[in-house]
Amino acid sequence: MEEGDAFDALAIAPGQRVALVGAFPPYLRALRRSGQPFHVLELGPSTLKPEELPFYAPAERAPEIVGGADVLITTGTTLVNGTLDDLLRHLRPGAQAAVVGPTATLRAAPFARRGATVVGGTRVRAPAELLDLLAEGGSGYHFFGKSVERICLCL
């Protein structure tokens, strides 16, 4: 287990095609800033900002988008909605796949068996402080690097 964000652990090379499942704002910003070719698969475009809409692809295009990607990044929400296995089945050989976010469990074996190469999650360092921040309406901007740290498993 390593400290740090799964996005960094992927070490996406310039020009690699990225499929981002879900509007994950920090990753959208990083991909846009780097000029990386990418699509964001989302159930509806209303979750995207106007400057992100050119990268939008409807969820039904997942087989095509994921199948053509060098890197797949998806949130653990795909575990909850039952779409993770199908997404990972569309990966082409040699593609990287990361499951990230607080909803991604850090149990490596089930992900590795399905083709994931990185799992990124969080570790709570100061539970009482985190609960206070959440009760006050805090978000990741308020607790990452303080009471919570990002960690990842490279599989």
Side-chain angles (χ1 to χ4, degrees):
M1 193 169 329
E2 304 173 20
E3 282 189 36
D5 195 278
F7 188 83
D8 298 326
L10 285 167
I12 301 168
Q16 284 189 310
R17 295 165 307 213
V18 177
L20 182 60
V21 178
F24 208 60
Y27 295 173
L28 285 167
R29 279 191 302 277
L31 290 166
R32 285 183 45 241
R33 265 196 308 266
S34 69
Q36 203 70 31
F38 77 98
H39 286 93
V40 58
L41 290 161
E42 185 56 71
L43 292 174
S46 63
T47 59
L48 299 170
K49 295 177 181 173
E51 64 271 15
E52 298 163 346
L53 284 173
F55 304 98
Y56 167 74
E60 54 269 10
R61 287 188 56 206
E64 166 200 349
I65 300 293
V66 173
D70 300 301
V71 180
L72 168 68
I73 304 171
T74 183
T75 65
T77 302
T78 58
L79 287 168
V80 177
N81 68 20
T83 59
L84 181 61
D85 281 337
D86 196 43
L87 288 165
L88 292 173
R89 267 193 286 278
H90 294 299
L91 280 176
R92 63 174 185 71
Q96 297 185 80
V99 182
V100 301
T103 53
T105 179
L106 292 174
R107 299 204 31 105
F111 293 112
R113 279 195 305 269
R114 288 167 173 84
T117 55
V118 175
V119 178
T122 56
R123 179 183 309 164
V124 176
R125 290 290 191 185
E129 181 182 326
L130 174 61
L131 289 173
D132 288 343
L133 285 167
L134 291 172
E136 295 168 3
S139 68
Y141 298 108
H142 302 106
F143 50 75
F144 277 116
K146 300 170 185 110
S147 57
V148 174
E149 67 183 357
R150 288 180 176 92
I151 55 173
C152 63
L153 302 170
C154 295
L155 310 177

